[in-house]
Amino acid sequence: LLLAPCARSEDEGGEIEPVKVAVLGLGNMGCAAAMRLSGTNIQVSVWNRSPNRCPQLPANVSRASTAEAACKSADIVLLMLSNANATNAVLQTVDHRTMSDVLAIVNLNSASSVEAKELEEAYGTYAYISGVMLADPSGLINGQCPMYLGGPEDVFDLARPVLEFLGTSMLVGSTADVPVIYDQAIVSSLLAYMHAISVGDALIRSAGLPVGPFASFMDALDVRPFGKRLLEVHETQKYESTDGEFSTNLVADFYKHGLATCRDVGLASCGFL
C-alpha cells in the first residue's frame, strides 16, 4: 500500500495531499514538527504525557488523550519522545492491532546505537524505521531539518513525503543503529574542529600575534559539511535532557563556546556555514 496521495508537487506549491500523521511527544522537537505539519492539509493528531505542552498549536491539530487514540487510524506515526526508555514505555500502551495498521512508524528520539537496536528488535515486526535529526526546533519549523534514517527501504519510502516536508531525509542504512553512528561521528567532528579552533586561537594570542591571518587560512579551508543550523541553535537555547552519561547541556555549552571563539577569531564561516 503506497502513500501516493501524500506526494508533494512543486507545481502545487509544495502541498501534501491529505494524510493522517500522529506526533507522540511534544518537547521542543515534537512541538516544532507538529507546528510545521499543521500548516499543511495533513491531518495531525498529537499526544504528550503532560497534556498542556505546546499550547501554541493551532485549532486544526487534534489533541488525543492517549497515545493509542493519537495513533488510531494514523498513516504515519512520528515518535518524538525524549529517549529510548520513554519511547518503549509509550509504545507499550499502544494496541498491537493499531501498530500493525500504521504504514510507517518513524522513531526520531535521542538514543545510543545499542538502544536504537534494542527498540528495533522490539518493534521491527511493524513498519518501523529509526533516525536522527541534525537540526534545532527552528530547523524543523522552517522545513530545513536534515534527517538520517535506518530501516527497511519500503517503509522509508512511505514516510519520506512527510519527512521531506520537515526537511531533507536520507536512508543511510538498513538497521536502526546506523543513523546514530553517523550522528556520533558528526558531533565528534564538530567538537574536534571547534576545540582545534580554540587551541589555535589561544596559541596565537599567547604569542601576542593578530588572529587575522589564522582566520583567513581557516576560512580558505572551506570546511562546511553540515550547515549552520548545527551551531546557530546553541546561541538561543539549551536542552535539559540527558541520555546515560551523555549530557546535551554539555554539548550545547561546547557548541556555544566554539561558535563564540570562531567569531572572536574572525572566521567568516566558522567552518560550518
Side-chain angles (χ1 to χ4, degrees), residues 15-188:
E15 284 295 319
I16 295 177
E17 293 299 324
V19 62
K20 297 178 180 179
V21 175
V23 178
L24 304 186
L26 291 176
N28 291 330
M29 300 300 279
C31 181
M35 288 289 293
R36 173 69 177 175
L37 296 176
S38 70
T40 72
N41 57 349
I42 291 177
Q43 297 178 35
V44 182
S45 62
V46 300
W47 173 85
N48 192 74
R49 192 180 304 276
S50 302
N52 296 325
R53 288 297 300 267
C54 199
Q56 65 268 40
L57 282 175
N60 65 321
V61 174
S62 172
R63 288 183 180 267
S65 58
T66 65
E68 163 74 21
C71 295
K72 204 77 172 178
S73 301
D75 299 309
I76 308 293
V77 173
L78 300 182
L79 302 174
M80 310 291 288
L81 298 145
S82 59
N83 54 48
N85 289 334
T87 299
N88 186 55
V90 169
L91 290 182
Q92 290 292 324
T93 70
V94 180
D95 187 83
H96 165 75
R97 290 164 296 183
T98 299
M99 296 271 283
S100 298
D101 289 340
V102 175
L103 299 180
I105 301 169
V106 185
N107 183 16
L108 293 170
N109 70 25
S110 297
S112 67
S113 58
V114 173
E115 290 170 332
K117 285 290 289 182
E118 290 174 347
L119 286 171
E120 183 179 49
E121 291 171 3
Y123 302 104
T125 55
Y126 304 108
Y128 177 90
I129 57 176
S130 181
V132 297
M133 297 174 287
L134 305 174
D136 65 304
S138 68
L140 273 176
I141 290 177
N142 295 322
Q144 298 175 348
C145 178
M147 289 165 282
Y148 284 176
L149 284 300
E153 186 174 359
D154 59 337
V155 179
F156 172 73
D157 288 340
L158 291 172
R160 188 171 186 173
V162 171
L163 296 176
E164 289 287 309
F165 198 79
L166 298 175
T168 56
S169 59
M170 179 185 300
L171 188 68
V172 295
S174 60
T175 56
D177 58 331
V178 174
V180 180
I181 294 170
Y182 276 109
D183 184 43
Q184 291 171 340
I186 290 170
V187 170
S188 298

